[in-house]
């Protein structure tokens, strides 16, 4: 009989992605992305993060809050394989798991004390949607957590490519200056599902209070429009 345990949300992340579309597929791929980890009121203790600032990276253990579903499947279709091949769920990082938990290593830029929010962790390279609940935070320890010669399974056999991004200056100027490098890097990662290849299709991605519309033909992504997203101005 399966046992159930209750785990508490200790924090939530605040990022530039209000929806899943466009979020890098792994943490660390776009170091220009900035986010803040804000603790829930019960855990806003300076003592709880004492010494954390000495580490350059941290692990975030979090919930795929938009992917939770009843039941589970023993196999999934990894996007990196074009959605055409099934693998065991435990041989993938699919969000559709028996327990929808994610694990991300992010760079810790600073720990800042906020007068109302307590200690706030400012991080770079996070692959989390805005508001994602976080269950635990642990320091990244290089001697134990890094295995440079590790085998990457099917991931090693799939070529990782970056798109050439064309964004007219007048459209890029609509993006806050501090967000431009992050946006261009996110677009270069190719936000589309791996099995989409329609050069005439216009995709829309919400980022930092903006709606970014683009097309992709072969290896070139062209930004077609940048406008304020419904719900507020860019951050």
């Amino acid at each position: 009989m399966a046992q159930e345990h209750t785990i508490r949300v200790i924090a939530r992340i605040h990022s530039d992605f209000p929806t899943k579309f466009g979020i890098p597929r792994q943490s660390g791929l776009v170091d220009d992305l900035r986010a803040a980890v804000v603790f829930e009121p019960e855990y806003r203790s300076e003592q709880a993060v004492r010494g954390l600032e000495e580490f350059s990276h941290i692990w975030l253990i979090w919930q795929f809050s938009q992917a939770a579903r009843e039941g589970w499947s023993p196999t999934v279709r990894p996007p990196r394989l074009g959605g055409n091949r099934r693998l065991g769920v435990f041989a993938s990082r699919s969000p559709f798991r028996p327990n929808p938990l994610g694990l991300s290593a992010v760079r810790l830029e600073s720990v800042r004390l906020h007068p109302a929010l307590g200690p706030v962790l400012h991080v770079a390279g996070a692959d989390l949607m805005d508001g994602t609940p976080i269950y635990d935070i642990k320091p990244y320890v290089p001697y134990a957590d890094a295995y440079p010669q590790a085998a990457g399974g099917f991931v090693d056999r799939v070529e990782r490519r970056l798109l050439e991004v064309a964004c007219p200056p007048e459209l890029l100027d609509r993006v806050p200056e501090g967000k431009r490098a992050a946006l261009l890097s996110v677009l270069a990662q190719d936000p589309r599902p791996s099995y989409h290849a329609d050069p005439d299709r216009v995709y829309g991605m919400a980022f930092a209070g903006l709606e970014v519309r683009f097309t992709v033909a072969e290896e070139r992504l062209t930004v077609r429009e940048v406008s304020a997203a419904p719900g507020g101005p860019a951050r």
Side-chain angles (χ1 to χ4, degrees), residues 52 55-59 105-106 138-147:
L52 190 62
F55 294 87
S56 67
H57 292 73
I58 57 176
W59 289 106
V106 298
K138 300 179 186 292
Y140 180 98
V141 181
Y143 86 89
D145 293 344
Y147 295 88

Side-chain angles (χ1 to χ4, degrees):
M1 179 178 179
Q3 293 183 333
E4 293 187 1
H5 300 275
T6 299
I7 56 177
R8 296 180 176 88
V9 175
I10 66 164
R12 293 183 184 275
I13 199 163
H14 295 274
S15 74
D16 286 319
F17 293 100
T19 65
K20 294 184 295 181
F21 187 79
I23 296 177
R25 293 182 174 90
Q26 301 293 339
S27 60
L29 294 180
V30 181
D31 188 68
D32 289 309
L33 286 173
R34 299 295 185 269
V37 176
V38 177
F39 288 94
E40 295 290 278
E42 182 180 354
Y43 302 100
R44 291 174 183 174
S45 166
E46 290 183 69
Q47 304 304 315
V49 296
R50 180 191 295 175
L52 190 62
E53 73 282 352
E54 299 178 11
F55 294 87
S56 67
H57 292 73
I58 57 176
W59 289 106
L60 303 178
I61 301 171
W62 48 279
Q63 181 190 19
F64 286 102
S65 53
Q66 298 298 307
R69 57 172 60 174
E70 292 294 328
W72 69 287
S73 170
T75 61
V76 295
R77 299 176 186 269
R80 284 185 69 95
L81 297 178
N84 298 317
R85 179 184 169 193
R86 284 194 172 273
L87 290 178
V89 64
F90 300 126
S92 79
R93 295 195 177 188
S94 167
F96 304 112
R97 324 182 66 79
N99 293 306
L101 297 178
L103 178 67
S104 296
V106 298
R107 182 164 61 84
L108 179 63
E109 293 198 307
S110 64
V111 181
R112 303 179 198 168
L113 186 62
H114 187 279
L117 302 176
V120 176
L121 310 184
H122 293 265
V123 301
D127 57 337
L128 283 71
M129 191 174 73
D130 187 52
T132 293
I134 295 173
Y135 289 125
D136 203 3
I137 297 167
K138 300 179 186 292
Y140 180 98
V141 181
Y143 86 89
D145 293 344
Y147 295 88
Q149 305 305 316
F154 73 88
V155 178
D156 287 345
R157 299 189 293 272
V158 178
E159 181 183 4
R160 181 170 170 259
R161 60 185 178 80
L162 296 177
L163 297 178
E164 175 189 354
V165 178
C167 183
E170 64 272 16
L171 295 183
L172 191 60
D173 285 344
R174 299 177 187 175
V175 181
E177 187 174 358
K179 306 285 187 182
R180 293 172 189 171
L183 173 61
L184 295 177
S185 295
V186 167
L187 294 174
Q189 297 286 333
D190 194 352
R192 303 172 301 163
S194 298
Y195 44 84
H196 282 200
D198 182 356
D200 297 320
R201 179 167 179 172
V202 179
Y203 298 86
M205 184 183 80
F207 177 81
L210 298 167
E211 180 74 15
V212 181
R213 301 180 68 79
F214 61 89
T215 57
V216 181
E218 296 182 348
E219 302 298 307
R220 183 181 177 88
L221 181 150
T222 302
V223 177
R224 301 296 181 183
E225 181 59 42
V226 176
S227 58
R235 302 181 189 182

